[in-house]
Amino acid sequence: MRKLSTLSDIPHKVSSTSVIGVGHKHESAIRQVSGQARYVDDIPEAANIHHAAVGLSPVAAGTIISIELEDVLSSDGVIDIITVTDVPGHIDIAPVFDGDPILADKKILYHGQPIFAVLAKTIEQARKAVLKAKIDIAPGVPCLNIEQAKQEMNFVRPPHEMQQGNFEKSYAACPIQLKGNLTIGGQEHMYLEGQVSMAVPEEEDRMLVFTSSQHPSEVQKLVAEVLDIKLHKVVVDMRRMGGGFGGKETQAAQWACLSAILASRNKCAVKLRLPRMQDMMATGKRHPFENSYQVATDENGRIQATQIEINGNCGHSADLSDAIVDRAMFHADNGYYLGSSKIVGHRCRTNQVSHTAFRGFGGPQGMLVAEAMIDAIARKLGKDPLTVRKLNLYDEHDPLRCTTPYDMFIEHNVLPELIAELENSSQYWQRRKDISAFNANHSIIKKGLALTPVKFGISFTAKHLNQAGALLHIYTDGSIQINHGGTEMGQGLHTKIGQIVAHEFGLPLEHIEVTSTRTDKVPNTSPTAASSGTDLNGKAAQNACLIIKERLCEFYAGLVKGDADNVYFEEQNVYLEEHKITFTDLIQQAYIGRVSLSASGFYKTPKIHYNRETGKGRPFFYFAYGASCSEVTVDTLTGEYKVDRVDILHDAGRSLNPAIDVGQIEGGFIQGMGWLTTEDLKWDDSGRLISNNPATYKIPAIGDTPEIFNVDLYGRANEENSIYHSKAVGEPPLMLANSVWCAIKDAISSLSNYHLDPQLNTPATPEKVLDAIELIQQAGGQSN
Ligand code: MTE
Ligand code: MOS
């Protein structure tokens, strides 16, 4: 293809009016705050719509002996009931590996597992009818924790291992040897819009599905499979989600499939919206983990050898757990060189709901081990943790300290510089002094400070998912519709795609309409996940623009007898040497001249590979970096604490939209803070989730926002050829919250004059903080 004149290719022509790099508000912001933005439950209903509800298992393990549904069927308004035997096609709706029956198939695998679905005239009637079922289950003995699953070698997938050098040999030779373990809690997604789907039967066996899903193509495939029809008979439409956070990557499909089966049987539109409590019980969460490490350093605290064992609680099935535990393993180094290393990951099967993607996708649970190790080393040596962190960063100039445990060479590492900048702007060392003085003068209230980095790998580790498509139409008035494979969940993907298209054609943002994600426009798409939405779909959209621009350049060059290579698009005009035409006029002429004004674009990420046999490769196109500095105040009598101040410097490359990126950073940080502090998932001894509503499960509220909250973008361009050299920003900021956890530990450690490293499992609720305080005091720290 001709090398086309995108503005970024012609440096002297870069427009001061370009929409790239500008803080445009979210395309739906006004409609969202004014209630006009349409979610699945807002779509006008067909005249023949009916409503579905599901009946859930009251036990975590067992065998179904009988299901009596007469009373359900005779309940007011009930139209139909289905159990697993009524599914016309596939029963298993698992995303990658088998094991997720659409409705319980004889065996009960977790508390809250859907056993049957009811269709009634109204949603209330459906939900009431469900309660009248009589289900006889021979109870089994559930496996409810990682320890038991590991003992029984009960894994949803085989273990995986990666190593570099000889751990045992290096470990034995070191003067400092430390061991530790860390229990890390899961997290409920708590998207504002819960799981919901609406299936509308069309002619004969065709099905149109509206769903709140991060993965419309997978919903299309699974709906087709459960209905036993071909994929081309199913269309999935997804305009926006009210949050997904990973919880709608695979686990939106079940509700879409159930709606579609009921719609197909009854020839009516069917909507299934889970009530919040059922949503919390019946859908997977962030995986709880139990990790352990052995780490050895030289006298200075420089790591020489590391062994880490990662154990994810996957729930009853594989779902995405293979890739999630892999990502935990890939991030157990965070930004640090681990020396000779061995990392093992186990995928433990328990009788819990199948745990799933959640912002960071296992990365956070791996990364926390790295920070735990650094804190342990710092306390052992009596050094400031920041000093030990800096000492252990990857060093791309030292050939011996620049490869990860999976043998990826670390280049373009901005962490040393980025940390130095934040260290300065947050006045880390001055505040360290102030805090030491404060703590010396206060026996009950203690302050803590920590500055932690983030290094997060960008790309799906399943290589084939790193592709995207887009479909672009220019209409005769010069307005443009762009459709792409990504889904909008609040993260601003559509805004960024709109900006990219507007930039390519030199148009204002209002000229571009990003339409709802539809499987009949762009097929075979990947989920919008792994933070790669803009990287993949942005490049695909740009590719579609370039294809049409090439046609327009040729056409215009023909019109004015110029060189097509010199055409450029700026400020709603198209220029070629001394010639100028408005974009709209050119489009009208091109239409009359029979130039196609529609194109599909495609993109696949270059350079990536990973060999799972050897545990080596380059799974990530690049890394996104960041660092945060948190200060907390802890009441050592009650364990209560407050986050007083947070400073963040985050690397979004050359930001496409600083306003949206800062929003992602703030939101991600707060969500991460909730995960590490207040969000406490509790299951009782029978395996029932008891933190199953917003009253018993505490997400951060506005009052938990740090009073001082400084967020800055690092601003250095991505060295890799990502879209306009920006960087993905969706997930990495969540892990900036690690500094809150480390700061709480720092405050507790002050009780031992910083000689002891407190054991603080997460979430670090006030109860756990108090436990950690008491342990430190018993171990000989100064008591109050
Ligand atoms: N931001 C909002 N507002 N809502 C969300 O659901 N999901 C996060 C992140 N930011 C999410 C969000 C997750 S888990 C991912 S993977 C990315 O957005 C996905 O979008 P992107 O790839 O376009 O960044
Ligand atoms: Mo995000 S957890 O990759 O959907």
Side-chain angles (χ1 to χ4, degrees):
M1 195 200 289
R2 179 194 310 282
K3 186 172 176 314
L4 276 168
S5 329
T6 75
L7 286 171
S8 49
D9 286 340
I10 316 175
H12 60 283
K13 296 290 188 204
V14 169
S15 166
S16 56
T17 57
S18 170
V19 295
I20 289 291
V22 178
H24 281 283
K25 67 174 178 286
H26 192 286
E27 44 84 21
S28 295
I30 302 288
R31 278 167 282 155
Q32 280 169 325
V33 295
S34 61
Q36 298 172 77
R38 208 179 253 184
Y39 296 85
V40 173
D41 211 22
D42 302 317
I43 297 170
E45 295 172 350
N48 69 351
I49 195 162
H50 297 310
H51 299 268
V54 284
L56 309 182
S57 168
V59 297
T63 309
I64 299 176
I65 295 172
S66 66
I67 307 180
E68 245 183 71
L69 298 171
E70 283 85 38
D71 292 351
V72 182
L73 198 56
S74 60
S75 188
D76 277 353
V78 169
I79 295 159
D80 194 14
I81 306 178
I82 53 168
T83 64
V84 73
T85 53
D86 299 309
V87 178
H90 286 197
I91 287 165
D92 200 332
I93 53 164
V96 192
F97 307 102
D98 290 349
D100 296 304
I102 179 170
L103 291 168
D105 188 11
K106 297 184 200 82
K107 271 180 81 175
I108 295 295
L109 304 167
Y110 61 98
H111 183 275
Q113 181 176 11
I115 298 177
F116 63 97
V118 171
L119 186 67
K121 286 190 176 134
T122 69
I123 193 165
E124 291 78 16
Q125 287 172 334
R127 289 177 182 179
K128 270 189 193 152
V130 157
L131 303 173
K132 298 180 180 168
K134 294 191 194 82
I135 301 177
D136 190 9
I137 299 170
V141 183
C143 171
L144 297 173
N145 59 62
I146 289 176
E147 200 186 318
Q148 189 186 342
K150 250 187 79 189
Q151 256 166 24
E152 294 166 2
M153 302 276 284
N154 192 1
F155 300 135
V156 296
R157 297 287 305 152
H160 181 48
E161 191 174 306
M162 39 186 86
Q163 54 180 312
Q164 177 170 255
N166 185 331
F167 163 75
E168 280 82 12
K169 214 172 129 202
S170 306
Y171 187 82
C174 284
I176 312 278
Q177 301 175 337
L178 295 164
K179 282 181 193 187
N181 57 68
L182 189 61
T183 299
I184 301 169
Q187 189 175 21
E188 158 62 38
H189 298 88
M190 204 59 100
Y191 21 61
L192 285 181
E193 177 206 33
Q195 300 278 0
V196 55
S197 281
M198 179 166 75
V200 182
E202 300 200 310
E203 288 178 20
E204 292 179 332
D205 53 358
R206 291 156 188 83
M207 191 65 67
L208 171 63
V209 180
F210 299 91
T211 177
S212 183
S213 164
Q214 290 170 245
H215 200 348
S217 280
E218 188 167 88
V219 172
Q220 175 199 20
K221 172 173 169 284
L222 293 172
V223 164
E225 286 177 357
V226 297
L227 293 179
D228 198 20
I229 56 178
K230 291 279 192 193
L231 270 73
H232 69 313
K233 302 282 186 179
V234 180
V235 173
V236 174
D237 182 299
M238 214 306 294
R239 173 58 185 89
R240 64 167 66 77
M241 281 162 274
F245 305 113
K248 295 170 180 171
E249 183 172 342
T250 59
Q251 301 207 5
Q254 192 165 12
W255 327 112
C257 289
L258 289 171
S259 313
I261 294 169
L262 287 166
S264 160
R265 282 164 65 93
N266 296 285
K267 301 282 169 246
C268 64
V270 172
K271 184 148 73 181
L272 173 50
R273 175 165 59 77
L274 293 185
R276 180 64 64 172
M277 198 179 281
Q278 284 196 356
D279 193 313
M280 292 177 77
M281 284 161 52
T283 65
K285 329 212 159 294
R286 181 190 293 286
H287 292 54
F289 272 68
E290 279 175 25
N291 303 337
S292 59
Y293 65 83
Q294 272 180 281
V295 65
T297 74
D298 63 14
E299 294 79 6
N300 295 321
R302 203 167 237 199
I303 296 174
Q304 310 294 321
T306 313
Q307 178 166 279
I308 297 174
E309 188 184 285
I310 303 257
N311 300 295
N313 175 346
C314 303
H316 73 89
S317 73
D319 185 78
L320 299 171
S321 298
D322 225 14
I324 287 167
V325 176
D326 276 1
R327 188 169 276 269
M329 297 169 71
F330 286 129
H331 287 80
D333 60 343
N334 192 10
Y336 312 114
Y337 176 65
L338 296 186
S340 301
S341 56
K342 192 194 278 185
I343 300 175
V344 183
H346 295 119
R347 289 99 174 118
C348 303
R349 187 197 300 275
T350 60
N351 288 100
Q352 285 182 356
V353 62
S354 194
H355 295 310
T356 194
F358 196 136
R359 208 169 192 172
F361 206 77
Q365 298 99 311
M367 206 178 274
L368 214 56
V369 182
E371 300 310 337
M373 292 193 303
I374 296 279
D375 276 2
I377 296 166
R379 299 315 175 199
K380 175 83 184 172
L381 294 176
K383 291 191 171 194
D384 191 285
L386 179 56
T387 307
V388 181
R389 291 200 155 87
K390 285 162 63 180
L391 184 70
N392 281 293
L393 292 176
Y394 282 109
D395 181 357
E396 63 186 290
H397 308 296
D398 180 347
L400 295 176
R401 303 180 50 79
C402 58
T403 50
T404 65
Y406 47 94
D407 218 28
M408 178 167 170
F409 173 61
I410 299 290
E411 50 184 345
H412 319 310
N413 178 14
V414 304
L415 269 186
E417 235 178 82
L418 188 150
I419 289 176
E421 218 175 296
L422 184 66
E423 205 176 338
N424 256 325
S425 63
S426 68
Q427 297 169 299
Y428 181 88
W429 295 106
Q430 181 56 48
R431 285 165 66 202
R432 170 59 74 199
K433 265 194 211 154
D434 298 347
I435 285 173
S436 296
F438 178 95
N439 287 343
N441 289 323
H442 293 78
S443 56
I444 291 170
I445 303 295
K446 298 289 182 186
K447 283 183 178 282
L449 183 70
L451 192 159
T452 60
V454 169
K455 163 179 140 286
F456 192 78
I458 301 300
S459 290
F460 286 100
T461 56
K463 183 175 171 182
H464 71 278
L465 295 178
N466 296 286
Q467 59 173 311
L471 179 63
L472 188 120
H473 304 317
I474 307 181
Y475 295 94
T476 49
D477 63 353
S479 66
I480 295 178
Q481 275 191 358
I482 176 79
N483 190 273
H484 62 91
T487 56
E488 175 63 44
M489 58 192 98
Q491 84 278 38
L493 172 60
H494 285 356
T495 311
K496 289 180 174 177
I497 301 285
Q499 286 176 275
I500 290 164
V501 174
H503 174 78
E504 286 297 329
F505 289 106
L507 297 174
L509 206 45
E510 300 72 52
H511 288 221
I512 319 297
E513 182 72 15
V514 186
T515 57
S516 71
T517 314
R518 279 182 69 110
T519 55
D520 57 352
K521 282 197 163 183
V522 176
N524 313 323
T525 56
S526 296
T528 307
S531 305
S532 63
T534 306
D535 281 20
L536 299 175
N537 296 289
K539 277 279 194 184
Q542 183 192 36
N543 179 238
C545 294
L546 294 178
I547 291 167
I548 297 191
K549 277 169 77 173
E550 174 158 30
R551 292 179 200 152
L552 291 173
C553 292
E554 295 271 355
F555 176 73
Y556 190 42
L559 273 188
V560 300
K561 307 274 178 291
D563 181 351
D565 277 345
N566 295 333
V567 176
Y568 65 93
F569 297 73
E570 191 179 286
E571 292 181 29
Q572 305 189 55
N573 293 311
V574 181
Y575 299 86
L576 173 50
E577 287 133 24
E578 72 279 18
H579 307 284
K580 171 182 171 185
I581 185 170
T582 67
F583 181 75
T584 306
D585 285 348
L586 178 64
I587 292 302
Q588 279 165 0
Q589 294 202 24
Y591 167 71
I592 299 295
R594 297 188 298 173
V595 175
S596 164
L597 296 171
S598 174
S600 69
F602 184 77
Y603 175 73
K604 59 181 178 189
T605 311
K607 295 187 179 180
I608 46 175
H609 57 92
Y610 181 66
N611 181 340
R612 222 160 167 274
E613 295 296 307
T614 59
K616 296 190 187 310
R618 176 191 178 154
F620 306 117
F621 186 31
Y622 63 87
F623 293 98
Y625 296 94
S628 63
C629 179
S630 294
E631 180 177 327
V632 301
T633 304
V634 177
D635 180 334
T636 60
L637 286 184
T638 63
E640 287 166 298
Y641 52 81
K642 194 168 173 297
V643 182
D644 302 312
R645 171 172 171 181
V646 173
D647 294 76
I648 289 172
L649 185 55
H650 192 81
D651 162 34
R654 191 181 286 153
S655 172
L656 297 174
N657 184 326
I660 280 177
D661 287 353
V662 167
Q664 284 289 292
I665 295 165
E666 291 170 345
F669 174 86
I670 296 287
Q671 193 168 41
M673 189 177 83
W675 165 57
L676 289 171
T677 58
T678 62
E679 297 186 36
D680 201 2
L681 290 171
K682 294 236 186 248
W683 285 270
D684 68 12
D685 292 343
S686 69
R688 185 173 69 101
L689 181 74
I690 49 178
S691 52
N692 62 5
N693 66 66
T696 51
Y697 183 81
K698 187 184 179 311
I699 60 170
I702 188 71
D704 297 306
T705 310
E707 231 160 80
I708 306 174
F709 195 13
N710 301 318
V711 176
D712 274 319
L713 295 173
Y714 187 57
R716 197 172 102 174
N718 189 350
E719 311 264 353
E720 295 296 348
N721 183 14
S722 57
I723 182 76
Y724 307 137
H725 299 276
S726 62
K727 283 195 181 183
V729 73
E731 295 167 285
L734 183 128
M735 287 149 275
L736 294 168
N738 293 349
S739 63
V740 171
W741 178 69
C742 290
I744 295 173
K745 286 173 66 189
D746 186 63
I748 302 172
S749 183
S750 74
L751 294 170
S752 68
N753 204 16
Y754 302 103
H755 287 305
L756 298 177
D757 180 38
Q759 176 73 30
L760 185 60
N761 294 331
T762 74
T765 56
E767 290 87 339
K768 289 222 194 75
V769 171
L770 195 58
D771 287 346
I773 288 169
E774 284 170 358
L775 273 176
I776 289 279
Q777 286 168 340
Q778 284 157 18
Q782 119 202 356
S783 77
N784 293 315

